[in-house]
Amino acid sequence: MRRAILLLTLVCPVIEGAEPAIQLVTVCEVLQDLPAYDGKVAAVVGRFSSRQAGRWLGEQKCAHKFVAGDWEWPNAFWVTYDPEDAPKPPAVLAVDAALLAQKLRAVKLGTSLTKLPFGSTDYDNWAVVYGRIETRRDLVTVTASGPRKNGFGYGESSPARLVCHGDAVVIFLNDDATTPASR
């Protein structure tokens, strides 16, 4: 029920006089100029993947590959929950519904939900995640054994992380509620 209420506030148009709309971006848009987004709070649209090793928000195909050092990085952000340090979400997490539908359609053009062999669809979902985008100045460090990735998450494989207040700021989207024009 809680997610349904949040979803309704997400897809309803922003009411005049309410808090300003939250910046809505896709993972690929952020990766086009990652340093410019470092420390910024946004609502990021992508495929939310939950696995034993952690949570990511990503896209499969971006127009531009993100490269740091000699590595091509995945189009995914590590999602971490930190109620002490993360930005507190606004009372109403409202974004422009038409813009959300447009961004989600763009993500779906190059990304699909993973079909896992054991049949559950609970591991990948379309989502909007509200939080602070963080990256590191040096995503590649030099060690005695050579250069290595200095990213986030499992295997330090992600070029950025999305620091969230908690799971209530992860809004799962379904096709019916957010993309009626795409059918």
Side-chain angles (χ1 to χ4, degrees):
M1 178 67 168
R2 183 175 174 185
R3 283 199 176 120
I5 293 169
L6 286 171
L7 182 59
L8 287 175
T9 63
L10 244 172
V11 297
C12 292
V14 177
I15 300 169
E16 286 188 38
E19 294 180 24
I22 296 165
Q23 183 178 15
L24 185 65
V25 293
T26 66
V27 171
C28 289
E29 288 173 328
V30 173
L31 288 174
Q32 285 180 0
D33 191 6
L34 185 56
Y37 284 93
D38 188 28
K40 302 277 194 262
V41 175
V44 186
V45 181
R47 178 183 63 196
F48 186 85
S49 300
S50 181
R51 304 289 190 271
Q52 186 175 0
R55 297 168 297 272
W56 290 266
L57 186 70
E59 292 186 56
Q60 287 171 306
K61 296 178 185 173
C62 292
H64 304 284
K65 301 289 183 184
F66 182 77
V67 177
D70 292 334
W71 282 289
E72 184 178 302
W73 293 71
N75 306 322
F77 303 148
W78 176 255
V79 178
T80 183
Y81 301 143
D82 184 350
E84 299 296 320
D85 190 41
K88 186 175 180 188
V92 176
L93 193 58
V95 297
D96 180 287
L99 182 59
L100 174 59
Q102 174 189 357
K103 301 260 184 202
L104 184 57
R105 275 192 302 273
V107 168
K108 287 180 176 182
L109 284 176
T111 306
S112 61
L113 298 179
T114 304
K115 304 278 191 251
L116 298 173
F118 43 86
S120 177
T121 58
D122 295 341
Y123 296 96
D124 277 1
N125 291 284
W126 304 117
V128 175
V129 180
Y130 176 84
R132 184 179 56 249
I133 300 162
E134 294 181 349
T135 189
R136 292 196 167 106
R137 181 183 200 128
D138 297 314
L139 284 168
V140 177
T141 60
V142 179
T143 66
S145 60
R148 71 170 184 83
K149 284 186 172 183
N150 187 34
F152 297 92
Y154 182 76
E156 298 187 55
S157 62
S158 180
R161 69 179 174 181
L162 197 51
V163 182
C164 304
H165 197 265
D167 66 356
V169 296
V170 176
I171 313 302
F172 295 113
L173 307 172
N174 65 43
D175 289 333
D176 295 334
T178 59
T179 57
S182 67
R183 288 190 176 249

